[in-house]
Amino acid sequence: MSDLTILMKATNFAAIKHKDQRRKDTEGTPYINHPIGVANYLTQAGVTDLDVIQAALLHDTVEDTETTLEELKIHFGEKVASIVAEVTDEKGQEKHERKRLQIIHARHASKEAKLVKLADKLYNIKDLERCLPTGWTNERRDEYFKWAAKVVSGCRGTNLELENQIDEVLTRNGLVNPKEIVLEANEMD
């Protein structure tokens, strides 16, 4: 199977899984724009690893649809499923705990998972910079930016292009030096 065929298979799978979902922005953007955008940021930053690009396209399928990791293994292989598993939150946990664990897990993730995480955070903060989701305040957006900077701190040294773009967005939005974000004790190992 060619690389293009493999990428189109992952894109189609994600599109089917996310077909009824919308982003929370005021336009109700189709959700599939997000994983495609994450994959695009990776390729624009020089990432050519096919497993990483597939994982980017599929990164929210287990967390946000009825897709299982076993299903991803069957269709896309162990490596892609493993990367997706690393960036997937536990559905049963309280939101605050999931966010705290993302900060902790980012530091111990594989390079491939860190790449997906960086591109995901870049997409989300650029989207928040563009417009607030329905029901969000500026304060909630600012809290997201601070939290995203903490997650990114655990991924630094993975892809300078993505990290620099993230820093530019965060700096434009009031985080004077995102590289110097200090983690709290409960966000450490």
Side-chain angles (χ1 to χ4, degrees), residues 51 54 69 71-82:
D51 290 334
Q54 287 180 91
L69 286 172
E71 191 176 357
L72 292 183
K73 285 179 196 172
I74 291 166
H75 292 287
F76 303 101
E78 182 73 39
K79 182 66 176 178
V80 172
S82 174

Side-chain angles (χ1 to χ4, degrees), residues 129-189:
E129 187 177 46
R130 182 181 63 80
C131 72
L132 287 177
T134 303
W136 277 45
T137 62
N138 288 331
E139 293 77 24
R140 185 170 176 189
R141 181 195 58 210
D142 293 346
E143 286 303 312
Y144 185 93
F145 286 152
K146 290 174 191 169
W147 170 76
K150 290 178 180 183
V151 174
V152 167
S153 72
C155 298
R156 291 207 177 268
T158 306
N159 183 292
L160 193 58
E161 174 66 29
L162 292 171
E163 293 165 37
N164 285 342
Q165 288 183 58
I166 290 166
D167 290 345
E168 287 172 18
V169 174
L170 294 176
T171 300
R172 259 196 320 267
N173 287 279
L175 285 176
V176 178
N177 192 346
K179 292 178 185 176
E180 293 181 1
I181 291 293
V182 176
L183 299 180
E184 298 165 18
N186 69 344
E187 297 164 341
M188 303 285 208
D189 301 20

Side-chain angles (χ1 to χ4, degrees), residues 45-107:
V47 177
T48 58
D49 183 325
L50 190 57
D51 290 334
V52 172
I53 304 305
Q54 287 180 91
L57 290 164
L58 301 165
H59 79 274
D60 279 336
T61 57
V62 173
E63 190 173 317
D64 294 338
T65 75
E66 297 302 316
T67 306
T68 65
L69 286 172
E70 189 59 35
E71 191 176 357
L72 292 183
K73 285 179 196 172
I74 291 166
H75 292 287
F76 303 101
E78 182 73 39
K79 182 66 176 178
V80 172
S82 174
I83 297 167
V84 172
E86 284 190 81
V87 299
T88 298
D89 288 348
E90 277 293 323
K91 290 182 189 181
Q93 292 177 328
E94 187 263 330
K95 182 180 178 180
H96 178 76
E97 180 65 4
R98 287 193 320 263
K99 291 176 84 78
R100 186 184 75 80
L101 289 174
Q102 272 198 47
I103 296 167
I104 293 169
H105 292 156
R107 297 171 43 180

